[in-house]
Amino acid sequence: DQLRAEWPTFAAYVVSFFIIGVVWINHHAIFRVATAVDHRILVYNLLLLMFVAAIPFCTATYAEFVRAGGMNAKVAVLAYGIVMEGTAVSFSLILGRLQKAGLTIAGSVPRGPQLSLQNAMGYVIFPLITLIGWFHPHLMLALYAIVVGYYFGPAPRSLYVLDSPVEPAR
């Protein structure tokens, strides 16, 4: 009975664990093709770390308030959404700076419309999930689970250079 009563906490933990896993995989993929970093990239990377470190707090807050609903649940959904959007923006800043400074292996990162479309997905999907979650807090977790499933399933393999066959020179 206690486990059944705590399902939001466990479900939120599992989904958030896999979200952090997706962030880690994408982070690894980006820096796998980086030839060097500069101060700005380190600052953007620190910003990404700040948002990732906030995920457990937002997860616990969501799990605590989603059962009761009301304004507390809505604010928890909003906080989670802001953190997710922050990760998307941070990745875009890192990748954009790597490209602008010429710090990636030639041909290893998609450019132009393909990259813009991939980044726009995060910019659109995370706020959309947040908006839906504002009105239906229980749905937020299921929608993020679908996003995680997409990343581990049919997501474009070029997303954040996940399957780049090149390794940086040492």
Side-chain angles (χ1 to χ4, degrees), residues 139-164:
L139 284 179
M140 184 202 85
L141 197 61
L143 294 171
Y144 277 117
I146 292 168
V147 169
V148 166
Y150 175 74
Y151 276 100
F152 284 112
R157 294 295 167 220
S158 61
L159 191 62
Y160 291 126
V161 296
L162 280 174
D163 288 334
S164 176

Side-chain angles (χ1 to χ4, degrees), residues 27-45:
H27 186 268
H28 175 75
I30 287 175
F31 284 99
R32 194 170 126 205
V33 298
T35 57
V37 296
D38 61 13
H39 179 74
R40 194 176 296 172
I41 291 169
L42 293 175
V43 171
Y44 295 156
N45 197 51

Side-chain angles (χ1 to χ4, degrees), residues 29-38 41 91 93-111 115 160-161 164 166-169:
I30 287 175
F31 284 99
R32 194 170 126 205
V33 298
T35 57
V37 296
D38 61 13
I41 291 169
F91 268 121
L93 290 170
I94 292 168
L95 194 52
R97 177 63 184 167
L98 284 168
Q99 287 183 310
K100 185 176 181 180
L103 299 174
T104 59
I105 297 170
S108 63
V109 180
R111 293 189 178 273
L115 182 63
Y160 291 126
V161 296
S164 176
V166 293
E167 291 289 334

Side-chain angles (χ1 to χ4, degrees), residues 45-158:
N45 197 51
L46 184 61
L47 183 65
L48 174 64
L49 180 59
M50 179 189 73
F51 286 114
V52 172
I55 292 173
F57 170 76
C58 292
T59 301
T61 303
Y62 172 81
E64 181 177 345
F65 293 111
V66 70
R67 287 175 286 214
M71 187 52 74
N72 287 336
K74 291 178 180 206
V75 171
V77 165
L78 182 61
Y80 205 101
I82 289 168
V83 166
M84 298 311 322
E85 190 67 16
T87 62
V89 169
S90 299
F91 268 121
S92 293
L93 290 170
I94 292 168
L95 194 52
R97 177 63 184 167
L98 284 168
Q99 287 183 310
K100 185 176 181 180
L103 299 174
T104 59
I105 297 170
S108 63
V109 180
R111 293 189 178 273
Q114 181 185 5
L115 182 63
S116 296
L117 178 63
Q118 291 169 356
N119 286 332
M121 288 177 59
Y123 291 149
V124 172
I125 290 173
F126 296 150
L128 182 61
I129 290 173
T130 304
L131 180 64
I132 293 168
W134 180 265
F135 296 103
H136 305 284
H138 286 88
L139 284 179
M140 184 202 85
L141 197 61
L143 294 171
Y144 277 117
I146 292 168
V147 169
V148 166
Y150 175 74
Y151 276 100
F152 284 112
R157 294 295 167 220
S158 61

